[in-house]
Amino acid sequence: MQTIVVPTDFSAVALNALHYAAEMAARLKTSITLFHVYQIPVSYSDSQAPLPVINVSDIEEVSRQRLNELKTEVEQKTDGSVSVQIESRLGVVDIELESICEELQPFAIIMGTRGASKVERLFLGSTTLSVLRKLTVPVVVVPPGAVYEGIRKIGLACDFKAVADTIPAATIKAWVHAFGAELLVLNVDYDNRNFRPDTPEQSVLLHKLLAEASPKYHFIESEKVEDGISRFAEQNKVDLIVTIPKKQRLLDRLFQRSHTSNLAVHSHIPIVSIYEGD
């Protein structure tokens, strides 16, 4: 049975993501692996040599205790229908996250966003996009306040460029099947600025790749891609938006703080980053 990995720093946004993951796991009849990465706090003496502030074993014990508390909460919330494992490691968040994904090959990683935590820095800092482009596991980013109410509509943001090389069709179809969802392909343009001679050919190819999922196409007029997707998703009750981090720049814009209307911060709709590798 595949698991869902839920990294946590014990913050409110991480707890909200855990609740979201628990409901998804119950729907999919899969398990959860609660994952915490800790570091050793250090201080500096007059010689500037770093000195540990607390014993490593003590930090690990606290980490495991808090993970066990969350485990109990999830098991009670799901009436024991979701099995929960815990994993506590010393290290760097992004490195350990890659490592556990290689070991477990999970169905997905589900994480919260926003706040001043290490998790938020992973997802909103410069490390974010480099990590996402390395992981071949779907990563669901859960905005504050998002509540799992089922996945009935999945939106795929697509620019109809090199679709054979950029669209992870197998994973998208697997997710549509797993949730029994409707697949909406979202293309955002403005005055046909992005229309190219090969656009019709690429759209036909995309349809062939996703034919099993019976996609429906929506062409959205908006100067800003992220604004167009956000409005459409809100108006049409889209439950999850798929982005492709390796080949598209959309994810960069969705997670930049400078965009006052960026989707990841101001929408309640989770985003799933899917990349199948080169």
Side-chain angles (χ1 to χ4, degrees):
M1 173 172 55
Q2 276 189 306
T3 189
I4 294 174
V5 172
V6 185
T8 183
D9 61 354
F10 310 110
S11 65
V13 292
L15 180 59
N16 183 63
L18 175 57
H19 290 164
Y20 185 96
E23 295 294 339
M24 181 183 287
R27 163 66 176 81
L28 296 174
K29 294 181 171 54
T30 188
S31 66
I32 281 179
T33 299
L34 264 170
F35 184 56
H36 178 238
V37 178
Y38 60 89
Q39 295 175 322
I40 305 173
V42 296
S43 64
Y44 290 84
S45 65
D46 293 338
S47 62
Q48 294 300 305
L51 299 172
V53 175
I54 188 171
N55 188 282
V56 176
S57 60
D58 291 338
I59 300 175
E60 182 179 11
E61 183 179 349
V62 171
S63 171
R64 295 186 68 84
Q65 178 181 344
R66 298 186 72 180
L67 287 173
N68 274 312
E69 290 171 357
L70 291 178
K71 174 182 177 179
T72 299
E73 181 176 336
V74 170
E75 290 172 341
Q76 291 176 345
K77 182 180 177 65
T78 60
D79 294 324
S81 64
V82 175
S83 173
V84 182
Q85 291 78 43
I86 65 170
E87 184 75 25
S88 179
R89 297 185 182 183
L90 170 66
V92 179
V93 175
D94 53 341
I95 294 175
E96 297 303 325
L97 189 55
E98 287 186 67
S99 176
I100 197 169
C101 286
E102 290 175 2
E103 296 167 20
L104 300 181
Q105 293 299 304
F107 175 79
I109 299 166
I110 297 184
M111 301 180 71
T113 182
R114 209 175 183 180
S117 66
K118 290 184 177 65
V119 172
E120 189 243 15
R121 287 198 295 272
L122 171 64
F123 267 94
L124 296 184
S126 59
T127 306
T128 307
L129 301 173
S130 63
V131 170
L132 290 180
R133 291 186 175 100
K134 294 176 184 176
L135 293 175
T136 56
V137 174
V139 181
V140 180
V141 183
V142 182
V147 177
Y148 183 86
E149 296 179 340
I151 305 295
R152 294 171 293 275
K153 292 183 179 181
I154 296 176
L156 168 63
C158 181
D159 58 7
F160 297 126
K161 293 180 181 178
V163 298
D165 297 324
T166 61
I167 301 299
T171 302
I172 292 171
K173 289 185 289 187
W175 275 57
V176 169
H177 176 74
F179 294 103
E182 180 181 3
L183 178 62
L184 310 179
V185 177
L186 313 179
N187 176 260
V188 181
D189 202 350
Y190 188 73
D191 288 340
N192 289 323
R193 291 176 184 174
N194 296 317
F195 187 88
R196 304 173 313 282
D198 69 335
T199 297
E201 178 185 348
Q202 291 295 316
S203 63
V204 170
L205 179 55
L206 178 68
H207 188 75
K208 289 181 179 179
L209 289 172
L210 299 174
E212 296 171 30
S214 303
K216 295 181 180 178
Y217 298 85
H218 298 268
F219 299 91
I220 303 162
E221 280 283 318
S222 176
E223 288 194 73
K224 290 185 177 181
V225 174
E226 60 272 30
D227 289 348
I229 291 174
S230 181
R231 284 195 301 270
F232 179 91
E234 295 285 352
Q235 293 168 2
N236 293 274
K237 300 184 186 309
V238 175
D239 300 294
L240 196 65
I241 296 173
V242 178
T243 63
I244 318 299
K246 182 67 176 182
K247 302 295 184 179
Q248 297 182 355
R249 294 184 178 178
L250 174 60
L251 195 68
D252 302 59
R253 297 200 296 273
L254 293 180
F255 285 95
Q256 284 175 355
R257 291 179 182 270
S258 59
H259 288 274
T260 57
S261 59
N262 74 75
L263 186 58
V265 172
H266 293 279
S267 174
H268 71 280
I269 302 169
I271 297 169
V272 56
S273 165
I274 300 177
Y275 167 51
E276 291 185 337
D278 292 321

